[in-house]
Amino acid sequence: MTRDRSNVTALLDEAPAYSRQNQGGIFLVIKGPDRGEAVRLGGSPNPTAVSFGSGPQCSLVLSDKTVSRKHLEAQLIGDEVLMLDCGSTNGTFIQGSRFDKISIGFGAEVKLGRTVIKFLPDEEIVEPAPSAQASFGSIVGGDTKMRQMFTLLEDVAKTNATVLIEGETGTGKELIAEEIHNHSPRRDGPLVVFDCGSVPRELIESMLFGHVKGSFTGAITDRRGAFAEANGGTIFLDEIGEMSLDLQPSLLRVLDKRAVRKVGSNTYEKIDVRVVAATNRDLRAEVAKKAFREDLYYRLAVIRVGVPPLRERGSDIPLLIQHFVNNFGPQLNITPEDMSRLVRHSWPGNVRVLRNVMERACLLARGSTINLEDALVSEASSQSLGIRTDLPFKEAKGQLVEMFEREYIEDLMRRHKMNLSAAAREAQIDRKHLRELIRKYGLDPRVGAAGPDDDAPGED
């Protein structure tokens, strides 16, 4: 029997910059007398079949008295993991349904007797050697973190592996997706960009998977979806963290089956598509909050790339500045004073805002030097009301609404000395909604001490 306690955590406590999933995975006991025991399936030199039961011949021996001697077997066939019940007395179940044979994915929980086993990816932290180059296609960076990323992207681009790109807004996630496609064997195929955060919820399935004529009001013709449009190439799912929970199973089925079913159709259409996804959210934290499906996360993060923000690679700023000037005003110069000012700037909007400023500085130039003063004034004017033009529309609007709500509720409750009823009457909003806003923004110092059914803040 081989018992392996290493690398069995579902999600690494702190997300590494780069990680990948090895072939196969890990079965971890999450419930029962043997909780914490684990066995690895596949991946050299590990076996392509493992067994579970109370008999000593099993790969993972369980002390659960309700488990048969050889209860269950897992087989790795290509990239597919099959679970086979071995004629057990009490049966094997997934989501309450008994099975004899079933294909599973990461995150699946299998119940045998009183024991529950979870299938997790064998996730490996990747620390690539820095590339000798200070660019990868149109992406520029001399910082060690960036050159490590270039090495990883060079290797990953040659494969069909699904890639998840995580990073703050403005760090260049879409550009990375483009270069993965451009350096891949699929470079002559289409690259389809689909922004999950900008499509109305009621249309997202139709736009992703297509629809048949008459499937809903307004469907006057058949329509191909984004996945079908990307056939033979790459689909880039931007802001994947914005996809609602109820739509995520449909995407998971497409990733598993490599086939799409149009809205209103009963048949699946095979597709040959490489998937690259991106998000500015911490999807691990979203999974922990149950705001994002764990199995979908694992399916997307076969290769995980964390893009460093500009503040963590300040040495790249002069390199990027010169790169943008070469693009927008190759005949222009940068004074030492302007360069120093640009390097000192915090750049909360990352490379995207730096690029916008440099483009304006070149377009507004008078004479042979960039016009940084007017470019920065123009940038500041868009920020005067807290408007972030460097963000997607939906995200910028959301931030502005949150700022308004916080300041309005804070001032309202201060004037009414935290009297909920009086404040709700003046604001003409329901007390329950007002209470939710207070809790949302943590504006009541007593809320931590109040029970879930308490009426804090005060009523009159």
Side-chain angles (χ1 to χ4, degrees):
M1 178 188 70
T2 301
R3 292 191 176 186
D4 191 339
R5 293 175 178 269
S6 65
N7 198 7
V8 296
T9 307
L11 297 173
L12 294 166
D13 292 336
E14 293 186 6
Y18 315 113
S19 65
R20 68 179 171 213
Q21 296 169 7
N22 292 321
Q23 187 183 35
I26 295 168
F27 288 97
L28 172 68
V29 180
I30 62 171
K31 185 178 180 181
D34 304 290
R35 183 176 179 179
E37 297 292 350
V39 65
R40 181 179 275 106
L41 173 70
S44 179
N46 298 294
T48 55
V50 292
S51 56
F52 310 84
S54 59
Q57 78 280 12
C58 292
S59 309
L60 184 56
V61 178
L62 301 170
S63 59
D64 185 348
K65 301 300 184 184
T66 61
V67 169
S68 298
R69 289 182 63 80
K70 187 178 180 184
H71 194 114
L72 179 67
E73 184 173 274
Q75 297 178 357
L76 179 62
I77 303 174
D79 291 327
E80 186 178 21
V81 176
L82 289 177
M83 302 295 287
L84 299 94
D85 183 90
C86 302
S88 66
T89 301
N90 292 320
T92 314
F93 300 81
I94 283 187
Q95 295 181 340
S97 298
R98 185 167 180 167
F99 69 87
D100 293 321
K101 180 179 178 180
I102 194 171
S103 175
I104 66 167
F106 295 132
E109 296 183 6
V110 183
K111 187 174 186 295
L112 49 161
R114 296 189 179 93
T115 295
V116 178
I117 298 173
K118 188 168 188 174
F119 185 51
L120 301 169
D122 177 10
E123 187 175 40
E124 175 188 3
I125 297 174
V126 180
E127 296 182 357
S131 170
Q133 306 299 317
S135 64
F136 180 70
S138 56
I139 309 169
V140 174
D143 181 85
T144 301
K145 291 181 181 178
M146 292 299 290
R147 291 187 293 114
Q148 283 182 309
M149 186 176 74
F150 296 159
T151 298
L152 180 63
L153 295 178
E154 185 77 46
D155 292 339
V156 168
K158 300 170 186 175
T159 73
N160 278 320
T162 303
V163 180
L164 176 64
I165 307 168
E166 293 183 316
E168 295 178 6
T169 297
T171 49
K173 298 185 292 294
E174 183 171 347
L175 195 59
I176 291 171
E178 290 176 4
E179 292 303 338
I180 289 175
H181 175 76
N182 292 339
H183 287 75
S184 77
R186 296 172 175 268
R187 65 178 67 88
D188 295 328
L191 171 63
V192 175
V193 178
F194 187 89
D195 187 344
C196 301
S198 66
V199 179
R201 182 189 170 283
E202 62 274 13
L203 295 178
I204 195 166
E205 280 192 286
S206 168
M207 295 184 70
L208 265 179
F209 313 131
H211 64 249
V212 297
K213 180 180 178 181
S215 56
F216 56 86
T217 304
I220 57 176
T221 61
D222 286 358
R223 175 186 178 133
R224 299 180 74 202
F227 271 95
E229 295 288 346
N231 194 49
T234 305
I235 186 168
F236 174 51
L237 302 174
D238 199 10
E239 300 305 340
I240 190 67
E242 304 303 317
M243 180 174 282
S244 63
L245 267 173
D246 59 331
L247 293 174
Q248 291 176 23
S250 298
L251 177 58
L252 182 62
R253 280 193 295 273
V254 172
L255 297 179
D256 285 339
K257 291 178 176 289
R258 291 293 158 170
V260 294
R261 186 178 66 180
K262 292 181 178 179
V263 176
S265 174
N266 294 320
T267 60
Y268 280 90
E269 173 188 351
K270 282 290 184 181
I271 51 167
D272 173 24
V273 174
R274 200 251 180 95
V275 178
V276 179
T279 179
N280 60 13
R281 293 176 180 265
D282 181 350
L283 284 194
R284 293 166 181 259
E286 296 296 301
V287 168
K289 293 188 297 186
K290 300 191 182 303
F292 197 85
R293 286 182 65 111
E294 184 181 26
D295 48 5
L296 179 56
Y297 172 80
Y298 290 140
R299 198 65 183 81
L300 292 169
V302 176
I303 303 291
R304 184 190 160 279
V305 179
V307 189
L310 192 54
R311 65 180 174 275
E312 292 182 7
R313 54 184 187 109
S315 60
D316 274 349
I317 292 177
L319 182 66
L320 288 164
I321 290 169
Q322 192 59 58
H323 172 72
F324 293 136
V325 170
N326 291 343
N327 286 344
F328 301 126
Q331 76 286 358
L332 298 174
N333 299 313
I334 309 169
T335 66
E337 293 77 17
D338 283 347
M339 179 64 80
S340 177
R341 188 175 179 184
L342 288 164
V343 169
R344 291 196 309 269
H345 196 74
S346 61
W347 302 113
N350 292 298
V351 179
R352 180 187 295 165
V353 173
L354 174 59
R355 180 189 183 280
N356 292 344
V357 167
M358 294 312 301
E359 184 175 13
R360 283 196 292 266
C362 292
L363 291 173
L364 298 173
R366 302 186 188 96
S368 61
T369 59
I370 64 170
N371 184 351
L372 183 59
E373 191 64 40
D374 288 346
L376 287 175
V377 168
S378 178
E379 174 66 20
S381 66
S382 68
Q383 305 289 332
S384 59
L385 292 176
I387 300 173
R388 293 284 302 277
T389 57
D390 59 302
L391 299 179
F393 173 81
K394 182 178 178 181
E395 188 176 341
K397 180 181 176 182
Q399 287 192 5
L400 196 59
V401 169
E402 283 194 5
M403 182 176 70
F404 160 75
E405 287 181 344
R406 178 186 292 275
E407 293 187 5
Y408 182 96
I409 300 302
E410 190 172 19
D411 183 68
L412 177 74
M413 297 309 295
R414 184 187 303 112
R415 287 189 290 104
H416 287 280
K417 299 179 180 178
M418 299 306 293
N419 186 300
L420 187 71
S421 298
R425 282 196 297 270
E426 179 182 308
Q428 298 182 21
I429 59 177
D430 183 75
R431 285 191 311 173
K432 182 179 179 182
H433 181 50
L434 178 56
R435 188 184 295 114
E436 289 173 352
L437 289 171
I438 291 169
R439 288 174 175 164
K440 176 181 178 181
Y441 296 111
L443 299 179
D444 180 14
R446 295 165 293 174
V447 75
D453 298 321
D454 289 338
D455 272 335
E459 313 277 358
D460 59 7

